[in-house]
Amino acid sequence: MLYPFRIEYISMPARFRYYRSDITPSPVDVIHMDLTFRIEDDQTRVAAVTRFRSRDHPIRTLRLNARNLDILEFSSPGHSIDLTQDEDGILITFLREIPGRTEFLIASETICRPSSTLLEGLYYDETPPGAPPTQITQCQQWGFQRLVPCIDEMTAKCTYRTTIIADARYTHLISNGDVAIPRHQVSPTRDEITYENTTTPMAPYLFFLGAGTYDSFQRTFEYPSGRTFLLELLCPPGSDPERAEEALDILEDSIIWVYLFTGPHQYDQLEIRYEIYRLYKKRAYLRRGGAQESDLEQLTHQMKKLDDQIVCGYAYTGSVYREIGMQNSDFGGMENVGNTTISTNRLMPFPEMTDAGFEYLLRVKVHEFYHNLNGSEVTGESPFEIWLNEAATVHIEDQYHAFHFGEAYTRLQRAIALMDPVDGTFSRETGAAAMPIEPDGFNDPNDLITPVTYVKAPEFIRMIESILGKEAFAWALSVYHRKYAHGNAGRNDFITLMSSIAGMDLGPMAEGWLKRAGYPTLSITTRYDEKDQSCHITLLQSGDGIPWEFPFDGALMHADGREIEKFHHLITKRREEITITPCQPPAYYSFNRGLSFYGTVEYNADAAALFIQARTDPDIIARFGALQALLRCEMQFLAADPAATPSRAFIALFIELLSDTELMSGAGAPLLTIFEGGGDPAAAHRYREVYQLRVRLERGIAHAEGAILRSLYRAYQGSDGRWRSIGRMAREIKTRQVKNLCLRLLARINTPEIHTLIREQFSKSQSATDRMTAYLLLLNSDDPERHQIFCEMMEEARHNLVAWEQFLAATASSDAANLVQILREIEASPYFRIDQANDQRALYGRFARNRKISLETEEGRIYLGEILSRLQSVNEYSTANILAVFAHIDRMDAEHHLPLIGILASLLQETESSAIRQTLQRLIAGNPAARASYIGVHGPIPGIE
């Protein structure tokens, strides 16, 4: 559905506005909507005629959703009605009841008004100079009711005929479906166009309307079977055609990958699939080079013959698939049946885009395209099934990312997203904002757009895949899509189908994972019996409730990385034992391989075994776990002795892994991630203290092995960041990661010589990633020119929205001693726009997560309080995301309790937003120790029971 940016928990109060019991079946089916939008600069008049059909029983009343609409006319042709309007809708009373199984019409004419800050319904996006105001819609999840009176539910699938009448200066007037009446002039200043979306019924949250000024880049996509449809990219005027073509290359690659490498038989006849992929890429290359038609036809004929031999995955059913750049949005992407909106800064591989932005671009394109099948053709029943739309889609997205970057690298990214002790999903599951995948209720559908939906839920899907097996899961997912095609599916529908193919009841497992927050910790003890050559592995789950059910993968290993014995075990009980016999004594144990389950492992391996495992384990996740265990030991050693330096053994291991070119080309530098505090959850929320420990560790590595780090840094030079191909980009991204890791370590030495090295990268590199890395290191350093470089970077970045967003994010996340001062300098500039979601996320969101300053310094807390006070009236969603940093106040040192609860209490009295008020109440209640301390000094907090 949505593709988030950096997503935070949005906390929810103990009582909810909506429960599953409130999502009741409508007494009518929605058949078709005829819509006419007359778009003006400041308002849009909407004429709607909706055809309904009553279900089995007669109806006397019907409630339609409608928010912030001015009603001009309202009728039901052939029926007398009374109307009652409230804040959220319209109650229609028919003076004579509508019989069962009877069609009837509701006609309305209403006015909706676009907003600059409420990015839902119809709102203003970035407008090019001299053009009429760009207006686009965001209907997720209940935004359609801000456009027209309707039944705004995921089950209200219907067909649409949409007419748009607007300023003739707009280059594009867009909605869902195919053009039924081409654009034509209806007055000297107005144009009209009509679309029909009549083949596949569409849920209202997928509706899109856009009136804007864009450059258009088009390409015909041709499947190996010969069927074609049009790809179109809508970009800001003046966009680089070369970059637009590269964006279409990536989109085209993702579409052919979905066709070849997903579906019920995706693991069959792989050699044919790879050959089709190779031929397809060759044909695209030759076509761009102007090859003779006969050569292209020969390649097409070869592909067609091969295509006839296999069963492929999803093929797009429309005539046009369009990606539209949206500059201002709470989300990074949103599928809208034929019209996907993607953040403009992530739409094309811009020269100013960092490597992280490129990976996001790669992911969001395949994610939103796959939603045409999973989410659009098959839709969840209600907002409670948002996770069902998203989890399988993210699962496919991960497969596509791994196709280009490698499974090890992709899974390492997920491991880091889980395990980061401050911002990781595991950490968020222990805070005041914790929530399950499928909560009991919610106050707004955006409450459900969280890391639980986009990280934990896909891991639940992956665990189901592990239980079924890859081939069986691919088949099961295909059956799910066929069975519920053009309809809706609930959680039980999905689980029941998966259970039937698994040959076991997955209901209890699903109930545990979907309805509970948190995760299991698996404590492991091992014993090897020399007498009968048997290995005994005892597994004990944490917690007192019903045991979690999950697959667990492990292996007994030789010292050289060869497997003695591996196992795949489904855990269903609190305590279980695995016995492997006969077997040789292992040099070490490899547990939770590939992140086989969503949770943590506690196993007291000795240091010698961990060093061996960190050097030789072929499973990158288990290897990463061994390295993190050693890092925690190093951090504890440094914390115990302020004068200590890192051990020679650890430094040697770190440099050995960093120097392993084969390892780095596969896993990349993420393998060597150093979490602040070494990833120790007990210390994670003493932010300044754990930051200083990380500095000491990195400085120790740099001082001990500076010469090797300089050599490696020079060896990894040469990548300029220019676009070539996805495969080349993947390799170069990993190269830059290693190079910049070396530079980050060297920067800890903080000498003029190192400053010169960093400034050289800043001034000479053509790579946006290299330049942004160097900028951040200089800002963090003692370099006397660092403020001048900050001013230079701001002046350069302000001319480009992609660079500007990255400049804001890098600056706000820096360790600069005068960080608040320079952020105020940015805010005071004419370039920062608080009404832009990108600016909010990059500057305010990144600063808030820079907790060692935003939460643990007085200056930072004052600034954070000011940010929240200003932002809460501009963008509720961004404000709620920032508030997530207060989730662990009780775990911080007591000296911070009073001022942090004070910020929340002050905002609670100030805000007029019910959503923000509910978030604040949950955060205050979820930190009882800090709240009690505050009340003891200041008395009861108004608004908190």
Side-chain angles (χ1 to χ4, degrees), residues 600-655:
T600 58
V601 168
E602 290 183 352
Y603 176 62
N604 292 322
D606 61 54
L610 289 173
F611 274 104
I612 296 171
Q613 183 175 14
R615 284 185 166 95
T616 68
D617 197 326
D619 183 85
I620 203 67
I621 297 301
R623 194 173 192 175
F624 179 72
L627 185 60
Q628 291 301 313
L630 292 168
L631 268 166
R632 283 192 292 275
C633 292
E634 289 294 315
M635 293 292 194
Q636 291 164 3
F637 169 65
L638 295 175
D641 182 0
T645 57
S647 69
R648 289 299 309 169
F650 180 81
I651 292 174
L653 170 66
F654 191 92
I655 294 297

Side-chain angles (χ1 to χ4, degrees), residues 8 12 22 277 440 740 748 788 835 857 875 880 895 904:
E8 302 282 350
M12 297 185 295
D22 297 316
Y277 180 78
D440 291 334
N740 285 313
R748 294 301 188 191
Q788 177 184 335
D835 62 330
T857 68
N875 189 308
E895 65 186 276
L904 300 179

Side-chain angles (χ1 to χ4, degrees), residues 200 221 223-225 227 229 254-266 273 307 311-321 337-338 365-378 396 474 477-478 481-482 485-486:
T200 303
F221 181 91
Y223 279 110
S225 64
R227 196 172 65 78
F229 64 93
S254 70
I255 293 171
I256 192 63
W257 179 88
V258 166
Y259 180 72
L260 292 173
F261 298 106
T262 68
H265 297 284
Q266 66 193 69
R273 297 173 189 275
D307 185 65
V311 177
C312 288
Y314 172 73
Y316 186 63
T317 58
S319 61
V320 180
Y321 182 73
V337 180
K365 286 182 182 293
V366 73
H367 180 103
E368 302 302 352
F369 178 78
Y370 192 74
H371 264 317
N372 285 290
L373 172 63
N374 192 77
S376 298
E377 286 195 11
V378 179
I396 298 299
L477 191 60
S478 177
H481 289 141
R482 291 198 306 272
H486 310 311

Side-chain angles (χ1 to χ4, degrees), residues 61-75:
T61 62
L62 178 66
R63 182 172 177 80
L64 300 184
N65 304 112
R67 298 186 68 183
N68 302 113
L69 300 178
D70 296 340
I71 298 178
L72 304 179
E73 296 182 12
F74 206 97
S75 65

Side-chain angles (χ1 to χ4, degrees), residues 415-667:
I416 292 166
L418 297 178
M419 298 177 188
D420 185 321
V422 175
D423 268 333
T425 313
F426 288 158
S427 174
R428 295 187 184 120
E429 292 243 59
T430 63
M435 62 179 288
I437 294 173
E438 189 181 289
D440 291 334
F442 60 89
N443 301 300
D444 185 274
N446 284 344
D447 293 350
L448 306 173
I449 309 302
T450 72
V452 165
T453 302
Y454 288 88
V455 177
K456 185 178 183 179
E459 290 300 297
F460 169 66
I461 294 292
R462 187 180 174 93
M463 288 188 286
I464 291 178
E465 179 191 57
S466 176
I467 292 170
L468 270 66
K470 288 183 179 293
E471 291 81 0
F473 177 78
W475 176 259
L477 191 60
S478 177
V479 171
Y480 168 74
H481 289 141
R482 291 198 306 272
K483 182 174 182 178
Y484 297 101
H486 310 311
N488 298 84
R491 182 249 284 195
N492 290 339
D493 296 322
F494 179 80
I495 298 302
T496 299
L497 191 150
M498 292 292 152
S499 296
S500 68
I501 294 177
M504 59 179 290
D505 183 8
L506 297 173
M509 174 187 174
E511 189 69 17
W513 284 103
L514 299 177
K515 299 301 294 182
R516 275 192 291 181
Y519 56 90
T521 293
L522 195 62
S523 297
I524 303 176
T525 56
T526 59
R527 178 175 60 86
Y528 184 79
D529 191 328
E530 294 279 1
K531 183 178 180 181
D532 60 6
Q533 295 185 321
S534 61
C535 182
H536 304 270
I537 303 170
T538 302
L539 311 170
L540 181 64
Q541 284 193 51
S542 59
D544 300 321
I546 297 172
W548 303 83
E549 297 186 17
F550 53 90
F552 180 61
D553 290 349
L556 283 60
M557 305 296 296
H558 289 294
D560 61 4
R562 290 180 297 116
E563 294 175 353
I564 298 171
E565 192 77 32
K566 64 180 179 181
F567 59 85
H568 173 80
H569 182 75
L570 181 61
I571 293 176
T572 60
K573 301 175 183 175
R574 175 78 53 208
R575 184 182 187 279
E576 298 194 19
E577 184 167 305
I578 300 171
T579 299
I580 299 172
T581 185
C583 65
Q584 302 174 51
Y588 62 87
Y589 295 87
S590 181
F591 291 136
N592 199 19
R593 309 186 99 196
L595 281 176
S596 57
F597 78 101
Y598 179 89
T600 58
V601 168
E602 290 183 352
Y603 176 62
N604 292 322
D606 61 54
L610 289 173
F611 274 104
I612 296 171
Q613 183 175 14
R615 284 185 166 95
T616 68
D617 197 326
D619 183 85
I620 203 67
I621 297 301
R623 194 173 192 175
F624 179 72
L627 185 60
Q628 291 301 313
L630 292 168
L631 268 166
R632 283 192 292 275
C633 292
E634 289 294 315
M635 293 292 194
Q636 291 164 3
F637 169 65
L638 295 175
D641 182 0
T645 57
S647 69
R648 289 299 309 169
F650 180 81
I651 292 174
L653 170 66
F654 191 92
I655 294 297
E656 179 184 330
L657 298 179
L658 183 62
S659 304
D660 187 334
T661 55
E662 183 179 353
L663 179 63
M664 291 296 99
S665 68

